[in-house]
Amino acid sequence: MKMIPIENLPSFDTSEQNQINTICSNLLFGSGDKKSIVVTSCHEKEGKTYAAIRLALFLVKEGYKVTLVDADLSSSPDYYS
């Protein structure tokens, strides 16, 4: 398992922080009793892990317990070689 220390994450600008805050606020107030969030896309290198980490950090700072699972479920031939 690969561990990434939180201290080593790149800093981000105010615009990015506002976007993360907006997403998290929408998730918290519009999700009812949902307990899972999935971050996905169709292509590689679109920032899924980065976005998931930032969302998890926001939720932790708000007092929520968070377990972040980062898994590659791709079936591309390159993945298995």
Side-chain angles (χ1 to χ4, degrees):
M1 177 177 6
K2 183 177 179 183
M3 303 292 281
I4 303 172
I6 293 174
E7 299 83 32
N8 294 346
L9 289 175
S11 60
F12 49 74
D13 60 20
T14 305
S15 173
E16 186 178 53
Q17 180 62 49
N18 290 338
Q19 292 171 358
I20 293 292
N21 290 349
T22 299
I23 291 169
C24 288
S25 295
N26 289 336
L27 288 171
L28 293 176
F29 294 115
S31 64
D33 63 349
K34 304 293 186 255
K35 296 184 180 183
S36 299
I37 300 170
V38 177
V39 179
T40 186
S41 74
C42 295
H43 304 287
E44 297 178 4
K45 309 290 183 197
E46 290 188 331
K48 296 175 290 292
T49 298
Y50 182 76
I53 290 170
R54 292 299 184 189
L55 290 169
L57 287 174
F58 178 92
L59 294 170
V60 166
K61 289 178 183 176
E62 291 295 311
Y64 291 87
K65 293 180 182 180
V66 175
T67 300
L68 177 62
V69 177
D70 184 12
D72 186 348
L73 302 176
S74 69
S75 59
S76 67
D78 295 337
Y79 179 75
Y80 297 103
S81 40

